[in-house]
Amino acid sequence: MRGGLWQLGQSITRRLAQADKKTIGRRCFASDADLKKTVLYDFHVVNGGKMVPFAGWSMPIQYKDSIMDSTVNCRENGSLFDVAHMCGLSLKGKDAIPFLEKLVVADVAGLAPGTGSLTVFTNEKGGAIDDSVITKVTNDHIYLVVNAGCRDKDLAHIEEHMKSFKSKGGDVSWHIHDERSLLALQGPLAAPVLQYLTKDDLSKMYFGEFRILDINGASCFLTRTGYTGEDGFEISVPSENAVDLAKAILEKSEGKVRLTGLGARDSLRLEAGLCLYGNDMEQHITPVEAGLTWAIGKRRRAEGGFLGAEVILKQIEEGPKIRRVGFFSSGPPPRSHSEIQDSNGQNIGEITSGGFSPCLKKNIAMGYVKSGNHKAGTNVKIVIRGKSYDGAVTKMPFVPTKYYKP
Amino acid sequence: MATKLWASRAASYLRISTFHRAFATVAKDLKYAESHEWVKVDGSSATIGITDHAQDHLGDVVYVELPEVGASVEQFGSFGAVESVKATSDINSPVSGKVVEVNDKLDSSPALINGSPYEEGWIIKVEMNNPDEVKSLMDPDQYTKFCDEEDAKH
């Protein structure tokens, strides 16, 4: 699945948007006119953004900085990402929590108000429909963000279950936040820069916490979270205030926080060992296989009560047959679908994401191997274009995470 | 060219961002393939690399997969691959023949392709089977126009 130099603009999009299988192997893409634009589109173009199709949206793959420089700058200074293509959603009602707990593996009831967690929407077979960051705003309000590429599927899934839940008398309703835009501010300068723009004391707000507050004159939903492994925030801002907020952030950082595109975002999340849905997690992969057992609350393990619980709880007890692990390797960077072999040349799995790490200056990858081959230090072969190269299973994250914790 | 290379290396060492040039350069004495490789012909010998335009689109090159000396290459056939942070791309040979030399420096310094695509970043040398094949390639003016048209499409 690689092309000649002529298709450069498309190749990363394809790599990032594996979920959208229809576009793969068929070199015709939706014309630009069919693509959705975020309110920051013109701002991206003015700032040198190279726009590419991604999950039905026209998004910047990079700006004037190279992906290598952008990735390193995020960890040394900071990055501002437009992630308004992602879908923010509020569930409200006195039964919002029991409703959501039927669909996700998290202990939502056990979350303190104003805190959140990464979770997984599961199907009846225990496979992952999507991953999502959920926040318990109050006992009758949950805020969550789902992947752009999964929006239609997720909303249909939630709606279907909501109908039947309500027909049995459950009190829950939803609001899709299409009136808001989502920005991600990540890196060591994220907090000091954002502090200039709000009166709230951000030093008392820790990783996973959520507040509704005034930022740069607009009422925002602020979550201390992200997708880079760095400290940082996701800011849900009324769309009419999004461009002003982006400008203010860049200005207050004196140019050190840089606009950063999807290319560096992919390098950053890979270095942080985070899954990209559609690549590293799919319908047939359970959260246990994906290494997200930690996200299944204790109470949920004891009680079940979510879709696919039987499969998932059995896997926790017996151990999964396959597991997601990280790799270092020599030779060309592994890409998704590269075969993984044991040292005797037997197939043991497949790479799901891989690339050259801009921060570590070497190849990193993640993929699934048969259990028994998953221990750190296990030597493997990774097959790329018919040749096998040495690799070793390694612990993730590849680059230490810097979440802001008390 | 050497100075420019040093500058970009120093910039990358110091982690300073160097801005992309607005227009990629097209060297005058070379011939070009539509898949963005250049060839420099000297008698029956041909030196092959990828163009400035190509390296600019690819971004930071992190690995170059080279063929063995003695391997046969066919005109417009793939003989290797270049990996950047962004993507993997085939490298196609603009001419048919036998590989007589490969640029081993690319093993340890793949970024030579970014810093010096027409000089130090050359990829292979080929003993041509049919020097007439060069006639089917583009000259510098045609290639410049070709790149402009291609960029306009995106």
Side-chain angles (χ1 to χ4, degrees), chain A residues 27 73 80 270 335:
Chain A
R27 284 173 182 172
N73 185 65
L80 181 65
L270 182 58
R335 304 291 190 192

Side-chain angles (χ1 to χ4, degrees), chain A residues 236-253:
Chain A
S236 171
V237 56
S239 290
E240 64 270 26
N241 304 111
V243 174
D244 283 347
L245 178 58
K247 283 179 183 165
I249 288 170
L250 298 176
E251 204 174 289
K252 290 290 177 196
S253 81

Side-chain angles (χ1 to χ4, degrees), chain A residues 315-347:
Chain A
Q315 273 191 355
I316 294 177
E317 203 181 307
E318 297 176 355
K321 291 199 172 67
I322 56 167
R323 293 172 197 251
R324 182 174 65 95
V325 293
F327 302 93
F328 286 130
S329 72
S330 63
R335 304 291 190 192
S336 66
H337 305 301
S338 299
E339 183 188 350
I340 307 166
Q341 298 176 343
D342 65 14
S343 42
N344 300 320
Q346 294 297 307
N347 178 304

Side-chain angles (χ1 to χ4, degrees), chain A residues 66-82:
Chain A
S66 72
I67 291 174
M68 194 94 93
D69 290 343
S70 277
T71 305
V72 171
N73 185 65
C74 178
R75 303 211 188 281
E76 293 192 340
N77 295 302
S79 284
L80 181 65
F81 304 88
D82 175 10

Side-chain angles (χ1 to χ4, degrees), chain A residues 50 62-66, chain B residues 18-23 55-57 59:
Chain A
K50 294 184 185 170
Q62 66 182 105
Y63 298 83
K64 287 169 183 166
D65 305 340
S66 72
Chain B
T18 45
F19 279 83
H20 283 249
R21 286 145 296 169
F23 298 100
Q55 72 76 23
D56 189 46
H57 275 62

Side-chain angles (χ1 to χ4, degrees), chain A residues 13 30 52 68 89 93-94 104 120-121 129 140 194 197 209 223 229 232 240 305 308 325 327-329 331 379-380 385:
Chain A
T13 319
V52 299
M68 194 94 93
L89 180 72
K94 73 174 173 53
V104 302
V120 179
F121 280 86
I129 293 177
D140 55 9
L194 197 62
L197 301 172
E209 292 186 357
T223 317
E240 64 270 26
V325 293
F327 302 93
F328 286 130
S329 72
N379 288 323
V380 299
R385 293 185 286 276

Side-chain angles (χ1 to χ4, degrees), chain A residues 159-171:
Chain A
E159 191 173 29
E160 183 199 326
H161 285 272
M162 197 186 301
K163 256 186 205 161
S164 97
F165 187 83
K166 283 164 94 165
S167 74
K168 290 171 197 151
D171 173 28

Side-chain angles (χ1 to χ4, degrees), chain B residues 53-96:
Chain B
H53 177 89
Q55 72 76 23
D56 189 46
H57 275 62
L58 266 173
D60 311 285
V61 174
V62 296
Y63 189 86
V64 185
E65 193 174 281
L66 298 164
E68 304 274 331
V69 169
S72 293
V73 294
E74 282 184 35
Q75 188 178 33
F76 308 129
S78 164
F79 68 79
V82 54
E83 298 265 3
S84 73
V85 176
K86 186 155 63 173
T88 308
S89 288
D90 286 314
I91 323 170
N92 299 321
S93 182
V95 293
S96 309

